[in-house]
Amino acid sequence: MALKKFSPTTPGRRFMTGADFAEITSSQPEKSLLKPLKRTGGRNSYGRITARHRGGGHKRRYRIIDFKRNKHGIPAKVVSIEYDPNRTARIALLQYVDGEKRYILAPLGLQVDDVLSSGPDAEVKPGNALPLSHIPLGMPLHNLELTPGKGAQMVRSAGVSAIAMSREGGFARVRLPSGEVRLFRVDCMATIGQLGNVEHEGINLGKAGRSRWLGRRPKVRGVAMNPVDHPHGGGEGKSSGGRHPSTPWGKPTKGYKTRNKKKASSKYIVVKRKKKV
């Protein structure tokens, strides 16, 4: 995959870049693996906005992804590489020898007609899913489970990978893309390889409308508001806020730690992602 640049025919096109979708082999998703996706507009069950700046955007259908990879020992052939509007990574359609079809996240270098499998006896190659106990140390991996059997919850974005560093006493030490080093049970499943669509981080949207297509509404700076609307508002002329950065409701931001100090999973974190150097 490579990034596509546009001719500066308009101001919005001048710095715009996008994916060339060269790796996509099918534009029609598998109908049996689609389901409706309802938009919330950032609102909860009471109709109140709990996540600001959301709304609009193109209509989407959700692709059901196999995050568990629990068909152990059954080979599957890669039928197609497809675009998924709900995530940054590409997805691959697998067809197992028993006829079942499933979507997985497509790792870097995966090709149509490749044969994949999962389970402790699977070959160590990109796209195969194995327990951490069977993955060689130093091997890039993605689609990582936090709880055995629950399905992958971590390392699922375009271009990312984690590294298995060591194993001891039923736990594996894994370095995550954020820099955090964390302990995982060795029976947690993970998929070999780095996720594809690596150039995604280099995409420049170019214009505000392209953010609206993604369902992102405009953000207004607090310093551009009045004092009644935001703690940063007001001031004679242009002001930089005159106080420590905060949310519209006065909660500190930029360095203020919000993680629960008594969170049970904290004991599994060996090195925090925001460690002081």
Side-chain angles (χ1 to χ4, degrees):
M1 177 201 160
L3 289 182
K4 178 172 60 175
K5 294 185 178 180
F6 297 89
S7 298
T9 53
T10 64
R13 286 281 194 181
R14 184 167 299 277
F15 301 108
M16 183 183 291
T17 57
D20 64 356
F21 301 104
E23 73 278 18
I24 303 298
T25 62
S26 174
S27 59
Q28 294 298 322
E30 173 63 33
K31 288 187 177 181
S32 63
L33 296 174
L34 294 179
K35 70 177 185 179
L37 188 64
K38 183 181 178 183
R39 289 188 174 273
T40 64
R43 289 160 174 82
N44 62 10
S45 58
Y46 296 104
R48 297 167 185 155
I49 294 177
T50 54
R52 298 186 300 155
H53 316 303
R54 295 188 184 184
H58 200 285
K59 186 176 181 179
R60 302 174 182 175
R61 287 181 293 174
Y62 183 74
R63 278 76 169 160
I64 300 171
I65 309 294
D66 178 19
F67 288 117
K68 293 188 176 182
R69 300 294 298 273
N70 52 10
K71 287 179 77 77
H72 294 176
I74 304 176
K77 184 178 179 181
V78 179
V79 177
S80 62
I81 309 293
E82 300 179 14
Y83 169 77
D84 188 346
N86 304 296
R87 64 191 74 252
T88 57
R90 304 292 182 233
I91 57 176
L93 180 62
L94 303 186
Q95 182 162 9
Y96 289 86
V97 292
D98 59 5
E100 185 180 359
K101 292 182 178 180
R102 291 188 181 186
Y103 277 125
I104 65 166
L105 301 185
L108 189 64
L110 190 70
Q111 302 289 334
V112 173
D113 293 335
D114 285 354
V115 177
L116 302 180
S117 63
S118 62
D121 300 325
E123 181 186 353
V124 179
K125 71 173 187 178
N128 283 356
L130 296 86
L132 285 174
S133 58
H134 289 68
I135 296 178
L137 300 180
M139 180 72 65
L141 52 92
H142 64 275
N143 222 33
L144 180 58
E145 286 185 330
L146 271 171
T147 305
K150 186 177 181 180
Q153 294 174 267
M154 308 197 76
V155 198
R156 300 185 344 189
S157 299
V160 301
S161 65
I163 300 290
M165 301 173 65
S166 64
R167 282 188 291 267
E168 184 179 357
F171 287 91
R173 184 174 294 197
V174 179
R175 187 175 75 238
L176 300 173
S178 63
E180 178 177 296
V181 178
R182 194 183 189 282
L183 296 176
F184 291 83
R185 293 263 300 274
V186 292
D187 47 352
C188 287
M189 295 286 288
T191 307
I192 303 293
Q194 177 185 5
L195 272 170
N197 197 17
V198 178
E199 288 84 3
H200 174 79
E201 65 178 359
I203 291 178
N204 186 336
L205 295 182
K207 62 179 184 179
R210 207 164 158 199
S211 286
R212 300 303 295 264
W213 300 344
L214 299 174
R216 302 173 189 160
R217 298 193 67 246
K219 296 180 182 178
V220 178
R221 295 168 299 128
V223 293
M225 300 181 188
N226 291 320
V228 70
D229 299 314
H230 200 284
H232 296 174
E236 296 295 328
K238 288 192 174 181
S239 166
S240 58
R243 55 164 292 166
H244 290 295
S246 66
T247 68
W249 304 277
K251 189 173 184 178
T253 57
K254 292 188 178 180
Y256 180 70
K257 296 179 180 178
T258 57
R259 183 180 173 88
N260 184 355
K261 294 179 182 179
K262 297 180 180 179
K263 196 162 189 175
S265 62
S266 294
K267 62 184 178 182
Y268 297 114
I269 298 175
V270 181
V271 178
K272 294 183 178 180
R273 64 187 178 93
K274 291 187 177 180
K275 59 183 179 181
K276 293 183 179 179
V277 180

